[in-house]
DNA sequence: GTATCATAAATTGGCGCCAATTTTGGATAC
DNA sequence: GTATCCAAAATTGGCGCCAATTTATGATAC
């Protein structure tokens, strides 16, 4: 009864941070929006202590991935259309702003590295979990932004990405859309190879807004 | 001995969040970079319990305002030149990106409100604490960004502002520089009144980079 | 006089209990 | 049959103790 919302137990080492584990489960869709995260359940599922759980929940609440209701507990945020739109807008601003620098800085090695990560994403599309797909996508975009030369910006975009990912379903609604994303990655790399900053920026914009 | 680093005790209600109190003291310069934040001291200074202190320290560590060294404790981050530069760059990107929208959206009432906040900042320049100055400045920039229509962006900028503020001294080195900031605020408002988006964006850029 | 080591003090950090609040379930009245 | 109220179970959340580690202190040897 207590484990009702968890069907698959994972043998997790207490060493690895609980916050990341819960985060991953939210991103992967294992913990649906609206779900109440009961402390006893989390304690058992991630094989950790009560303070560990509470620290993790507090961190996730700070990141606004879960909401804390006093004396009621923590629950996964419902997807917020406005917020998702605004975060996308911010991503467009930040990622297109460094598009020029990226195109300038990218060496042949960088392009090869990007190609490899894009392929990883494609493979995850075929036979991978939702989480693997998410992480492959993240790795590609991080590597891309890294060429912008602003490390803080890389971390910032990585961070705000998580803010709307409480709705992984609405993000990648269909398999067709995911495959389209994969193709867009390669188109973006092509634009970098041809040193076409304007095209790369426009592709980035469309890729984020998914139009 | 235990209260060595704190010369002025403040009678703080336990209700108000300890995290904000510590944050304010760091921003105001009361807690200098490098200072080790001993849990017993904080406990006494903010008149709160041990778990309160630890939660606050964990949150500040997440925000990268303090660093956590296992079995050693938490200390205020040393100012990081590279990071400060990168954060400024990000702020320029974000705030100039919505400059056009701000100029378009600003009504006569909005301009009046901005003028009032700019005056508040000027007053704080004359006779106000470092913290009051910081908050007056923050209020002005928040009101400004609000006109951009992207609430998430307002919160994001407010958040990343805190990331480099562990060196409040290096930010506003001289009184002359602070007074210059006050004048720039009014120049920015003037640009908005004249609906000159390009000028407003450029003023914003210079204001952030402080050149 | 200085370096080294052992011992004591201080500090962090893990863990668990118990009170306060909320939710659930059932009994009773209408 | 339905609504209301009361009691029991469950859940959150505040608080403090104690072990592990680190730092400071002082004694001893060279």
């Amino acid at each position: 009864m207590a484990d009702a919302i968890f069907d698959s137990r994972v043998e997790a080492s207490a060493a690895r941070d609980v916050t990341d584990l819960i985060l991953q489960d939210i991103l992967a869709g294992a913990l649906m929006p609206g779900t109440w995260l009961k402390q006893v359940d989390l304690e058992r599922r991630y094989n950790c202590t009560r303070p560990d759980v509470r620290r993790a929940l507090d961190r996730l609440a700070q990141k606004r991935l879960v909401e804390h209701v006093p004396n009621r507990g923590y629950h996964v945020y419902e997807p917020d259309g406005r917020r998702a739109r605004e975060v996308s807008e911010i991503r467009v601003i930040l990622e297109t702003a460094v598009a020029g620098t990226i195109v300038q800085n990218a060496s042949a090695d960088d392009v090869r590295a990007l190609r490899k990560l894009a392929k990883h994403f494609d493979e995850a599309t075929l036979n991978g979990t939702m989480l693997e797909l998410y992480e492959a996508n993240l790795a590609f975009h991080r590597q891309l932004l890294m060429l912008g030369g602003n490390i803080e910006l890389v971390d910032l975009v990585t961070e705000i990405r998580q803010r709307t990912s409480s709705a992984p379903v609405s993000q990648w609604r269909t398999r067709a859309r995911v495959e389209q994303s994969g193709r867009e990655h390669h188109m973006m790399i092509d634009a970098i190879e041809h040193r076409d900053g304007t095209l790369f920026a426009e592709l980035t914009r469309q890729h984020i807004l998914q139009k």
Side-chain angles (χ1 to χ4, degrees), chain A residues 2 4 16 31-32 43 45 58 74 94 96 104 110 116 124 130 139 145 148 153 164 173 183-184 198 210:
Chain A
R16 201 166 158 198
L31 298 172
M32 295 295 284
E43 205 173 325
R45 173 154 169 79
D58 185 67
Y74 299 79
L94 290 174
T96 57
Q104 278 187 325
D110 292 330
K116 195 175 169 188
M130 202 59 153
L145 279 176
L153 192 140
T164 46
R173 204 174 292 275
R183 279 191 294 276
E184 285 170 3
T198 315
Q210 299 208 345

Side-chain angles (χ1 to χ4, degrees), chain A residues 125-140:
Chain A
T125 307
L126 299 173
N127 42 12
T129 65
M130 202 59 153
L131 180 62
E132 284 168 345
L133 197 63
Y134 178 84
E135 290 190 334
N137 190 43
L138 200 66
F140 172 76

Side-chain angles (χ1 to χ4, degrees), chain A residues 79-97 137 141 145 153 156-167 170-173 177 201-211:
Chain A
D80 181 338
R82 178 191 62 77
R83 226 179 130 202
R85 213 176 318 113
E86 292 186 357
V87 168
S88 292
E89 199 184 319
I90 293 172
R91 281 191 55 199
V92 170
I93 293 170
L94 290 174
E95 303 195 36
T96 57
N137 190 43
H141 282 279
L145 279 176
L153 192 140
L156 185 66
V157 172
T158 306
E159 199 184 305
I160 64 170
R161 272 176 155 280
Q162 295 177 343
R163 296 194 182 180
T164 46
S165 48
S166 51
S170 70
Q171 272 196 337
W172 290 322
R173 204 174 292 275
R177 177 58 244 185
E202 179 55 24
L203 287 171
T204 301
R205 201 184 72 81
Q206 288 179 9
H207 181 65
I208 295 171
L209 297 179
Q210 299 208 345
K211 280 177 183 170

Side-chain angles (χ1 to χ4, degrees), chain A residues 17-163:
Chain A
D17 195 21
V18 193
T19 314
D20 287 335
L21 294 174
I22 301 178
L23 178 62
Q24 285 177 2
D25 279 344
I26 294 175
L27 296 178
L31 298 172
M32 295 295 284
T35 311
W36 285 96
L37 301 172
K38 292 182 185 161
Q39 301 183 1
V40 209
D41 292 344
L42 300 174
E43 205 173 325
R44 291 180 189 169
R45 173 154 169 79
Y46 302 107
N47 194 37
C48 60
T49 64
R50 178 62 63 96
D52 288 333
V53 171
R54 282 163 70 168
R55 183 160 49 91
L57 287 173
D58 185 67
R59 285 181 181 177
L60 293 172
Q62 293 294 309
K63 288 187 176 180
R64 310 238 311 256
L65 263 144
V66 302
E67 189 187 16
H68 174 59
V69 184
N71 291 321
R72 290 282 313 273
Y74 299 79
H75 66 87
V76 183
Y77 257 114
E78 301 283 347
D80 181 338
R82 178 191 62 77
R83 226 179 130 202
R85 213 176 318 113
E86 292 186 357
V87 168
S88 292
E89 199 184 319
I90 293 172
R91 281 191 55 199
V92 170
I93 293 170
L94 290 174
E95 303 195 36
T96 57
V98 289
T101 318
I102 291 174
V103 168
Q104 278 187 325
N105 289 1
S107 68
D109 279 350
D110 292 330
V111 171
R112 260 189 295 279
L114 285 172
R115 214 50 101 172
K116 195 175 169 188
L117 289 170
K119 285 214 176 73
H120 273 153
F121 179 84
D122 296 339
E123 286 160 17
T125 307
L126 299 173
N127 42 12
T129 65
M130 202 59 153
L131 180 62
E132 284 168 345
L133 197 63
Y134 178 84
E135 290 190 334
N137 190 43
L138 200 66
F140 172 76
H141 282 279
R142 278 189 69 95
Q143 182 71 28
L144 200 57
L145 279 176
M146 209 69 98
L147 301 175
N150 189 321
I151 300 172
E152 280 296 312
L153 192 140
V154 180
D155 289 341
L156 185 66
V157 172
T158 306
E159 199 184 305
I160 64 170
R161 272 176 155 280
Q162 295 177 343
R163 296 194 182 180

